[in-house]
Amino acid sequence: MLRSVILAAARSKRVERLVEKAPVSRDVVRRFVAGTTTDDALAATRELVADGLAVTLDFLGEDTFTAEQATATKDEYLRLLAALDAAELTPEAEVSLKLSALGQKFDEELALANAREICAAAMKAGTTVTLDMEDHTTTDSTLDMLAELRKDFPTTGAVLQSYLRRTEADCRELAVAGSRVRLCKGAYKEPESVAYQTALDVDKSYVRCVNTLMSGAGYPMLATHDPRLITIGEDRSRWFDRSGDSFEFQMLYGVRPEEQRRLARDGYTVRVYVPYGTEWYGYLMRRLAERPANLGFFARALATKK
């Protein structure tokens, strides 16, 4: 029921206007979204890089239904990469792409062409791209496009979600030399037939996937804010004799910034996922609708910097 209420609010322009004007909303946006413009993204990136952190930038917008919208998203990524290059912020900063924002849901060939152009611009700028993962219906399509892009851009990163039952097998396939794989828990509401339904089962899957990735020849990227899983990641890195630059931790912009800096001081690579753009309202509401428990997660993050 709560999910339905949140989704209804996400579609309401009246609610959106009210949320935009509320002081607490401005606090949430400033904390978890870098801003609306390319310049805002660059400013956040400079600050994070100066603190010894790496960055991956996400231009917000998932509901793309026309070729014009997909092209506009691609063009923003091209502007962003050119700006990062000019500001000498690469290779510390890369970009994350949602293929749905590039046309995946209505024209996979268009999405692949757009992604290829962005990957080429990233290579020219001295950085790379990671393909975000969305709900389970797009997993096969995303991994297929990943394989195509890696033919010309082998450093293109993948994202796998531990709540999907298939992910441990996907980790085994992708834990190869040169393969960058971000492992996260997953935030979408998925049916029991394809996804674990309890937090314990999702966490157990995450640990199994960490072991698979750490024991392989690839480059694991452990995306989590869970203190237990971070500790396990540190332990597994020692167990598999991983140097601090042979894997990385990843966390969201505005979430546990002190822990991000602590890990960086301890010699680990820490990459911050930085969203920006005018679609922040839809972004935050979708995160809540996909998993209403995220409401408490954001509230706790606002209350603490640890």
Side-chain angles (χ1 to χ4, degrees), residues 231-248:
T231 298
I232 289 171
E234 292 180 278
D235 176 75
R236 295 294 84 189
S237 72
R238 292 188 290 268
W239 179 265
F240 291 108
D241 198 25
R242 286 270 183 172
S243 62
D245 60 357
S246 69
F247 77 103
E248 66 185 48

Side-chain angles (χ1 to χ4, degrees), residues 136-255:
H136 81 278
T137 64
T138 65
T139 301
D140 284 330
S141 169
T142 299
L143 292 178
D144 287 345
M145 290 194 211
L146 173 74
E148 285 299 312
L149 290 168
R150 282 186 170 179
K151 292 176 181 177
D152 296 316
F153 311 103
T155 61
T156 304
V159 176
L160 297 176
Q161 301 170 109
S162 72
Y163 72 169
L164 293 182
R165 298 178 186 274
R166 61 175 287 171
T167 296
E168 193 174 355
D170 289 332
C171 283
R172 285 193 293 270
E173 288 191 17
L174 289 173
V176 296
S179 177
R180 298 168 58 251
V181 180
R182 179 194 300 155
L183 177 66
C184 62
K185 290 186 182 182
Y188 293 81
K189 180 67 175 177
E190 302 281 18
E192 186 174 1
S193 59
V194 301
Y196 300 110
Q197 299 298 301
T198 70
L200 179 60
D201 284 338
V202 173
D203 286 355
K204 287 181 177 179
S205 173
Y206 194 99
V207 173
R208 293 194 300 271
C209 291
V210 167
N211 285 327
T212 299
L213 293 173
M214 286 288 197
S215 64
Y219 182 84
M221 303 183 288
L222 308 184
T224 182
H225 309 98
D226 188 324
R228 297 168 302 165
L229 294 181
I230 291 171
T231 298
I232 289 171
E234 292 180 278
D235 176 75
R236 295 294 84 189
S237 72
R238 292 188 290 268
W239 179 265
F240 291 108
D241 198 25
R242 286 270 183 172
S243 62
D245 60 357
S246 69
F247 77 103
E248 66 185 48
F249 288 103
Q250 295 192 356
M251 296 187 187
L252 294 173
Y253 182 69
V255 180

Side-chain angles (χ1 to χ4, degrees), residues 12-22 281:
S12 170
K13 290 296 181 183
R14 181 172 177 271
V15 174
E16 181 176 355
R17 287 192 295 271
L18 290 173
V19 170
E20 286 177 338
K21 293 177 181 178
Y281 174 77

Side-chain angles (χ1 to χ4, degrees), residues 32-33 38 41 50 75 105 109 121 125 143 167 171 178 186 220 232 250 264 273 292:
F32 301 114
V33 179
T38 308
D75 290 344
K105 292 185 177 179
E109 290 187 4
L143 292 178
T167 296
C171 283
I232 289 171
Q250 295 192 356
Y273 188 96

Side-chain angles (χ1 to χ4, degrees), residues 86-127:
E88 299 182 343
L89 289 170
T90 60
E92 289 84 0
E94 60 145 47
V95 298
S96 288
L97 299 180
K98 286 182 174 59
L99 290 174
S100 65
L102 299 178
Q104 181 184 32
K105 292 185 177 179
F106 63 89
D107 189 337
E108 289 189 357
E109 290 187 4
L110 173 65
L112 181 59
N114 284 334
R116 194 181 299 278
E117 193 171 342
I118 294 168
C119 286
M123 178 180 285
K124 181 180 178 181
T127 189

